[in-house]
Amino acid sequence: MLSPALTPFTADLEPDRPAFVGFCNWLLEQGANGLAVFGTTSEANSLSQRERMSLLEHLVEKGIPAAKLMPGTGAANLPDAVELTRHALAFGAGGVLVLPPFYYKNMPEDGIYAYYAGVIDRVARPDLKLYLYHIPQMSGVAITPTLIARLRKQYGGVIAGLKDSSGVWDNVAMLLKEFPEMAIFPASEKFLLPALKLGAAGCISATANYQVANIRRLIDTPDGEAREKLDGEVGKIRSVFEAYPLVPALKAAIAAKLKNPNWRIVRPPFAQLPEEKRRDLLAALGMKD
Amino acid sequence: MLSPALTPFTADLEPDRPAFVGFCNWLLEQGANGLAVFGTTSEANSLSQRERMSLLEHLVEKGIPAAKLMPGTGAANLPDAVELTRHALAFGAGGVLVLPPFYYKNMPEDGIYAYYAGVIDRVARPDLKLYLYHIPQMSGVAITPTLIARLRKQYGGVIAGLKDSSGVWDNVAMLLKEFPEMAIFPASEKFLLPALKLGAAGCISATANYQVANIRRLIDTPDGEAREKLDGEVGKIRSVFEAYPLVPALKAAIAAKLKNPNWRIVRPPFAQLPEEKRRDLLAALGMKD
C-alpha cells in the first residue's frame, strides 16, 4: 500500500521542506509501504517543474529511501514528462506514476500512445517501472484497455501497473481481470478488500494521508469479523472526507492532527475550507481543534 | 485582428525555429495586426516552459515586433505562469493571454481568482495587459462574469480583455454587453461581423492561420453586399476545417500551401491526419498537394 503525500506550503505559498520531510517519514512510520509523492492530492500540478525536482531531491537527501518513492512525473507536454521521469530514475525512484497529457481533450488514442511511447523511448531505461494514471475526472483523458494493451505489447513489464482513480468499481474489476500481470491500485480504500481478492497490488488512496495506519491494519488483518469491522471504520472516515473538497479537507485534518495551522494552506486553484466547514469536518472526525 | 500562430516541428519533434519565424512574418504580412503565439492552436501546452520562453526570445531576436505579440503565458501552476508572464513583459510583449489553472476541476471561484491575482501581484507591473482565456472545452475551467467583475474591480485596466473560445455566441454577446471597457475577442471568425457591431476588438481565430488575408479583407470592407459575400466565403472555409481535428488539419493545409511536408508534424497528444482525410481536406479547400 502506497500513500499519496500532501505537499505543505508556507504562508507565502512556498513548499515547506522540513514539514514535507517530516510528514513523509511519518507516513512511512505509520505503515505505508511507499509514497506516491507529486500526485493529484499532492497538488503536484500546482507545483512548477523545478519545484517538483527540487522537492524530490530534498526527500532523498534527507534520508527517505528513494526505492519507496513513486513520484508523479506526468505533464501536459512530452519534454517535461521526459525530464521529470529521467530525474526521478536518476535519484533512484522505485517507479513513476505518469498522467496522460491533460490539456488537450478528445485526442486520438494514437496521440496518447505516442506520448507514453515518447516518454519511454526518450528515457530509454530498461529498469523503468511506469505506472499509468487513470483519473479522467481531472485529466480529462482516459487510460483505456486498448491503450494499455498496446503499451504492454510494445513495452512489456516497463508498463508495470496502473492507478485507477476513477472511483468506478467496474473499471477496477475489469483491469484486474484483463491485466493480471500488472500492479493495479484502486485509489479508494473502499475498494481495497474486494480488489485484493481479485489480485490488486493494494491501494493508493488520498485519505491514506489521514488514516494510513488504519489502512495498514486493514491489509494486515486476516479475513474475518475483525477485518469487516475495521473495513467499516475505514470506509466511514473515507465517507466523511468525501463530503468536502478532498485536498483542503485533508490538509485541515492534518493541520489539526499535527497542531500546525500552516498545513491548511493550499495553492490556487484550491481554496482553504471556510471556517465553518472546517469545524464541521473536525467534529465529524471526532477531532479537537 | 490577431492571428494565433501554429508552431512547426522538425521530424524529431523539436520546434522548427526558422520555419516559425518565417510563418510569423508571413501572418503579419498577410494582414494580422498581431500574433497570439503559444495559444491552444500553437500546441503551447505541448511545449515545455523553457521551449516557450526560448521561442519567444527567438521571435524577438529575429525582428518580430514584440509589441505585436500576445503570447499565452498561463500554466497549470502559479509559479510557471508568473515566470512566463514576467518573461514576456521583459521581452516587450504587448499583452499576455492567460489560461486559468487547468488540471484541477470544479475548483471554487476563490481559487481561480487567487491564481490570477497571484500572477498579477507577483509580476507587479502596472503596464501589464492581461487577457483572460475562456476555453472551457479544453481547460475545463470557465472564466465567469462574476470572476471577471472581481478581477476588474481589483485590477482595473490590467484586466485588458478576454478571448472567448467557447464557440457560444450568447456568451460573446453577454461579455460585450457586460464589459464594454474590455477588449473582447471571439475565437471564431463566424462571429466577427455581429461581434464587431457590438464593439468587439476583432477576433483571434485558429483558422486565421490559413485565411488571415480573408479575415483582414473582411474587417476592412465596409458594410454592404461585398462584405456579406466575403463573410460567406470566410465562413465556408471555417466550416471545412470544423469537420476535422483542427490543429492537425490546419497544419496539413499550411504544409500544402507552403509546400513543406514537415508542417504536418504535430506533437502528442495530437496525431497527424490520416492520409485519406488529409486528401479530403485539401480537396475541400480546393488545394493541390
Side-chain angles (χ1 to χ4, degrees):
Chain A
M1 179 264 299
L2 280 75
S3 178
L6 295 163
T7 308
F9 296 109
T10 63
D12 56 356
L13 290 185
E14 294 301 311
D16 184 335
R17 291 160 163 258
F20 189 40
V21 173
F23 188 61
C24 286
N25 273 317
W26 181 79
L27 289 170
L28 291 172
E29 286 160 14
Q30 299 281 308
N33 298 107
L35 301 174
V37 289
F38 314 125
T40 299
T41 317
S42 320
E43 298 173 76
N45 294 301
S46 300
L47 299 173
S48 72
Q49 181 86 349
R50 274 193 294 278
E51 286 174 331
R52 287 164 75 161
M53 295 195 285
S54 164
L55 283 170
L56 182 69
E57 291 170 26
H58 189 67
L59 289 183
V60 175
E61 277 163 16
K62 291 295 175 182
I64 305 282
K68 294 197 173 192
L69 295 175
M70 189 200 278
T73 62
N77 68 82
L78 180 60
D80 279 349
V82 170
E83 184 183 41
L84 288 172
T85 304
R86 275 191 187 135
H87 177 266
L89 288 186
F91 277 80
V96 292
L97 182 59
V98 183
L99 277 170
F102 53 80
Y103 179 71
Y104 295 101
K105 306 302 187 298
N106 302 312
M107 291 292 105
E109 189 180 286
D110 280 355
I112 311 298
Y113 178 86
Y115 162 87
Y116 280 113
V119 170
I120 297 165
D121 292 344
R122 282 164 171 74
V123 167
R125 289 262 306 241
D127 59 338
L128 171 62
K129 295 284 173 210
L130 187 150
Y131 295 78
L132 303 164
Y133 194 175
H134 179 58
I135 183 166
Q137 69 274 32
M138 288 291 177
S139 66
V141 179
I143 309 293
T144 61
T146 52
L147 174 68
I148 302 168
R150 278 177 75 180
L151 286 167
R152 283 283 305 185
K153 191 175 173 193
Q154 182 66 28
Y155 296 107
V158 163
I159 308 298
L162 180 144
K163 179 182 176 189
D164 183 352
S165 296
S166 67
V168 178
W169 166 252
D170 286 350
N171 197 63
V172 175
M174 177 276 291
L175 292 170
L176 287 165
K177 183 162 173 284
E178 296 293 322
F179 303 100
E181 65 289 8
M182 285 172 68
I184 306 290
F185 295 90
S188 171
E189 60 271 54
K190 282 187 175 178
F191 297 153
L192 181 58
L193 294 191
L196 286 176
K197 287 196 178 89
L198 297 180
C203 70
I204 309 179
S205 167
T207 42
N209 279 285
Y210 180 80
Q211 61 169 344
V212 62
N214 287 345
I215 297 173
R216 172 81 273 149
R217 268 211 310 283
L218 180 58
I219 291 173
D220 294 343
T221 303
D223 259 344
E225 209 175 308
R227 197 182 212 192
E228 293 302 318
K229 185 161 174 277
L230 199 50
D231 192 37
E233 287 164 17
V234 163
K236 206 172 142 189
I237 290 172
R238 171 91 194 177
S239 298
V240 169
F241 280 106
E242 284 179 346
Y244 297 85
L246 193 54
V247 172
L250 283 166
K251 285 192 144 179
I254 297 295
K257 193 176 242 182
L258 303 181
K259 302 197 188 313
N260 174 359
N262 266 6
W263 261 103
R264 295 181 208 160
I265 297 167
V266 290
R267 268 200 182 165
F270 284 103
Q272 291 190 42
L273 283 195
E275 187 54 20
E276 198 185 344
K277 286 207 173 185
R278 191 180 72 82
R279 290 208 193 111
D280 288 349
L281 168 70
L282 297 186
L285 293 169
M287 298 180 81
K288 285 191 179 153
D289 205 352
Chain B
M1 181 262 302
L2 279 75
S3 178
L6 295 163
T7 308
F9 296 109
T10 63
D12 56 355
L13 290 186
E14 294 300 311
D16 184 335
R17 291 159 165 259
F20 189 41
V21 173
F23 187 63
C24 286
N25 273 318
W26 182 79
L27 290 171
L28 290 172
E29 287 159 14
Q30 297 282 309
N33 298 107
L35 300 174
V37 289
F38 313 124
T40 298
T41 316
S42 320
E43 299 173 76
N45 294 301
S46 300
L47 299 173
S48 73
Q49 181 86 351
R50 273 191 296 277
E51 285 174 332
R52 288 165 74 160
M53 293 195 288
S54 165
L55 282 170
L56 182 70
E57 290 171 27
H58 189 67
L59 289 183
V60 176
E61 278 163 17
K62 292 294 174 183
I64 305 282
K68 293 197 172 192
L69 296 174
M70 188 200 279
T73 62
N77 69 81
L78 179 60
D80 279 349
V82 170
E83 184 183 40
L84 288 172
T85 305
R86 274 190 189 136
H87 178 266
L89 288 187
F91 277 80
V96 291
L97 182 59
V98 183
L99 277 170
F102 53 80
Y103 178 71
Y104 295 101
K105 307 301 187 297
N106 300 312
M107 291 292 106
E109 190 180 285
D110 280 355
I112 311 298
Y113 178 86
Y115 162 88
Y116 281 113
V119 170
I120 297 165
D121 293 343
R122 282 163 171 75
V123 168
R125 290 260 305 241
D127 58 339
L128 171 64
K129 296 283 175 210
L130 187 150
Y131 295 78
L132 303 164
Y133 194 176
H134 179 59
I135 183 166
Q137 70 274 33
M138 288 291 176
S139 67
V141 179
I143 309 293
T144 61
T146 52
L147 174 67
I148 303 168
R150 277 177 76 182
L151 287 167
R152 285 282 305 185
K153 192 174 173 195
Q154 182 66 28
Y155 297 107
V158 164
I159 308 296
L162 180 143
K163 178 181 177 191
D164 183 353
S165 295
S166 67
V168 178
W169 165 252
D170 286 351
N171 196 63
V172 175
M174 176 276 292
L175 292 171
L176 287 165
K177 183 162 173 283
E178 296 293 322
F179 303 101
E181 66 288 7
M182 286 172 68
I184 307 289
F185 295 89
S188 172
E189 59 271 53
K190 282 188 174 175
F191 298 153
L192 180 59
L193 293 191
L196 286 176
K197 287 196 177 88
L198 297 180
C203 69
I204 309 178
S205 167
T207 44
N209 280 285
Y210 180 80
Q211 61 170 343
V212 62
N214 288 344
I215 297 174
R216 172 81 275 148
R217 268 211 310 283
L218 180 58
I219 292 173
D220 294 344
T221 304
D223 259 344
E225 210 175 309
R227 195 182 215 193
E228 292 302 318
K229 185 162 174 275
L230 199 49
D231 192 36
E233 287 163 16
V234 163
K236 207 172 142 191
I237 290 173
R238 171 91 194 176
S239 298
V240 169
F241 280 106
E242 283 179 348
Y244 297 86
L246 192 55
V247 173
L250 283 166
K251 285 192 144 180
I254 297 296
K257 194 175 242 181
L258 303 181
K259 302 197 190 312
N260 174 0
N262 265 6
W263 261 102
R264 295 182 206 159
I265 297 167
V266 290
R267 269 200 181 166
F270 284 103
Q272 291 189 41
L273 283 195
E275 187 54 21
E276 197 185 346
K277 287 205 171 184
R278 190 180 71 83
R279 288 206 195 114
D280 289 349
L281 168 71
L282 297 186
L285 292 169
M287 297 180 83
K288 286 196 180 149
D289 205 352

